[in-house]
Amino acid sequence: MSNFKSGFVALIGRPNVGKSTLMNHVIGQKVAIMSDKAQTTRNKIQGVYTDNDGQIVFLDTPGIHRPQSKLGEILVKTATDALEEVDMILFLVDVEAGLGAGDRFIIENLKGIETPVYLVLNKIDRVHPEALLPLIDQYQKLYSFTEIVPISALQGNNTSTLLELIFKRLPEGPQFYPSDQVTDHPERFIVAEFIREKVLELTREEIPHSVAVVVDQMSEREGQDIIDIYATIFTERKSQKGILIGKNGVLLKEVGKRARIEMERLLGSKIYLNLWIKVKKDWRNEEMMLRQLGYRD
Ligand code: GDP
Ligand code: K
Ligand code: MG
C-alpha cells in the first residue's frame, strides 16, 4: 500500500454553483444543506472523505461575496481566513451561468494566496461540450490554476478524477478522523440547518434569507429512544412570521414534519420537535445575535 495522504480542501465559489452538491456526492451523506436558493450554507461545514489512499477533509465555505451587512463581512472573512490554512482550494464555477462578476470577485481574493487552486467547472451536464474550451480560456486569462477539472456534481461525472487529482497533490499525513466520521459539526448545528432548509423550501420567495434558526435545547429522554428538540426560528418582520405559521399553522407544521424526517434519519432515533417563531428586527446586524448563532466566538 502506498503512503497515506491527508489534508484540508476548501470548496469555494459563488452561491449555487454546486459546492454542497459536490460534497454530498463525494461524502455520500447529506451533511451540507442544499437549496436552489443562494447562500444556504452560512457556516463552515466539514465533510470527511476517507479511502485507502488517504483522507480529505472538506471545508464547505460560506463563500466570498461583496459584503452587504456585518454578517456578510464575517462570511467573507471566514472564507478568506480558511483559505490560508488549507492544502488546496477547489474553486467551483457554474459552466451554464458562465464567468460573472461574482467569479471575478473571488479570483481577486485568491490573488494573495499561495495555496494551489483547482478550477472545477461544474454542471457540465447543462452545456454542450464545445462550450467548455472557450470558457476555460476566459478563466485562465484571469488566474493560473493548478488543475482544471470539468465535472457534474449532480450526476457524479468525473468526480472520481477530481478525487484522484486532489490526492495527487495532498501531502503524506495522518488520518485526522475515524473513517466512519463524515462531519465534525455538532449535531445541533445540522439540526438547525435542516429546519432552515425546510423553511426556505416551503416559503420560496416570501421569506428571504432573513431567517435564522437556533436550537435552544436538545436532549434524549431518560430510558427512551426519543430526542426532544426545542428550536426557535427568527424572522426579521412580523409579516414573515405570519407567512411562516401559515393558515391554521399548516406551514409551520409542514416545516416541522419535513425537518423531523431528516433528523430522524440523521440521528437514528425518534424526534419530538418543538418549533417557535420569534420576530427579531434586523438580527443580521446585531452582534449579540450573531454570537448566539455561532457566527462569532
Ligand atoms: P452551493 O450554493 O454552491 O452549495 O450550491 P448547491 O450545491 O446548493 O447547488 C445549487 C443548485 O445547483 C441545486 O439545485 C443543485 O441541484 C444544482 N446543481 C449542483 N450541481 C449540479 C450539476 O452538476 N448539474 C446540475 N444540472 N445541477 C447542479
Ligand atoms: K445553495
Ligand atoms: Mg452550499
Side-chain angles (χ1 to χ4, degrees):
M1 200 177 92
S2 62
N3 292 326
F4 200 81
K5 290 178 158 193
S6 62
F8 291 81
V9 174
L11 280 167
I12 63 166
R14 287 185 298 107
N16 284 333
V17 293
K19 299 179 293 297
S20 301
T21 307
L22 174 62
M23 202 170 74
N24 293 330
H25 179 82
V26 169
I27 309 297
Q29 188 175 326
K30 195 168 179 181
V31 288
I33 306 304
M34 272 180 289
S35 140
D36 53 2
K37 285 185 189 164
Q39 244 178 294
T40 298
T41 314
R42 223 186 255 147
N43 286 43
K44 200 161 69 180
I45 299 179
Q46 285 188 339
V48 185
Y49 173 84
T50 314
D51 69 14
N52 292 332
D53 295 324
Q55 183 166 72
I56 308 168
V57 182
F58 287 101
L59 306 173
D60 182 22
T61 67
I64 306 165
H65 329 273
R66 255 171 246 282
Q68 275 161 3
S69 64
K70 257 186 205 159
L71 176 58
E73 280 170 33
I74 294 170
L75 296 187
V76 175
K77 180 136 193 342
T78 311
T80 322
D81 282 354
L83 300 183
E84 304 278 6
E85 289 156 23
V86 298
D87 297 289
M88 193 179 297
I89 297 165
L90 301 185
F91 173 38
L92 253 77
V93 299
D94 178 338
V95 292
E96 193 184 22
L99 173 56
D103 292 326
R104 288 177 196 276
F105 182 74
I106 292 173
I107 291 171
E108 280 311 305
N109 276 275
L110 288 176
K111 285 194 171 149
I113 288 164
E114 306 235 329
T115 317
V117 182
Y118 287 14
L119 176 65
V120 179
L121 301 147
N122 189 33
K123 309 197 187 181
I124 55 167
D125 56 293
R126 303 285 299 171
V127 299
H128 194 275
E130 275 173 18
L132 283 180
L133 279 180
L135 191 62
I136 290 174
D137 218 47
Q138 287 186 335
Y139 280 99
Q140 272 183 317
K141 284 199 176 106
L142 299 176
Y143 195 86
S144 155
F145 296 99
T146 309
E147 299 277 357
I148 296 175
V149 198
I151 64 160
S152 167
L154 194 66
Q155 302 190 345
N157 300 334
N158 223 27
T159 49
S160 50
T161 307
L162 177 62
L163 284 174
E164 279 169 30
L165 288 169
I166 294 172
F167 276 127
K168 189 172 122 189
R169 281 201 172 69
L170 280 191
E172 277 178 27
Q175 187 172 321
F176 296 108
Y177 299 95
S179 49
D180 59 355
Q181 186 165 346
V182 293
T183 174
D184 78 343
H185 250 270
E187 282 160 349
R188 266 181 187 235
F189 170 73
I190 297 179
V191 159
E193 282 288 274
F194 278 151
I195 298 167
R196 209 160 64 85
E197 178 190 49
K198 298 309 165 201
V199 168
L200 294 181
E201 210 174 273
L202 286 162
T203 56
R204 298 275 126 200
E205 304 307 322
E206 303 94 335
I207 306 283
H209 298 282
S210 52
V211 55
V213 178
V214 174
V215 172
D216 305 301
Q217 197 198 318
M218 187 166 160
S219 53
E220 203 168 336
R221 274 190 212 171
E222 280 271 339
Q224 274 175 285
D225 193 22
I226 298 174
I227 299 171
D228 290 295
I229 297 174
Y230 293 84
T232 308
I233 302 170
F234 289 94
T235 66
E236 280 186 317
R237 284 193 300 277
K238 228 176 163 174
S239 59
Q240 295 170 334
K241 178 174 174 174
I243 292 170
L244 247 177
I245 292 171
K247 212 174 165 204
N248 300 322
V250 166
L251 200 120
L252 186 62
K253 257 183 221 150
E254 187 62 22
V255 167
K257 191 180 127 196
R258 292 191 186 187
R260 187 171 46 74
I261 291 169
E262 300 260 10
M263 291 170 195
E264 289 182 341
R265 201 176 295 151
L266 175 84
L267 301 171
S269 80
K270 266 186 87 77
I271 304 287
Y272 173 78
L273 180 62
N274 199 319
L275 287 178
W276 294 89
I277 304 178
K278 277 187 195 155
V279 182
K280 182 107 176 136
K281 226 175 133 265
D282 209 22
W283 68 264
R284 280 164 194 257
N285 284 317
E286 284 181 34
E287 293 283 323
M288 258 232 343
M289 267 303 273
L290 291 174
R291 225 168 254 132
Q292 274 175 17
L293 295 170
Y295 299 123
R296 286 270 168 93
D297 32 43

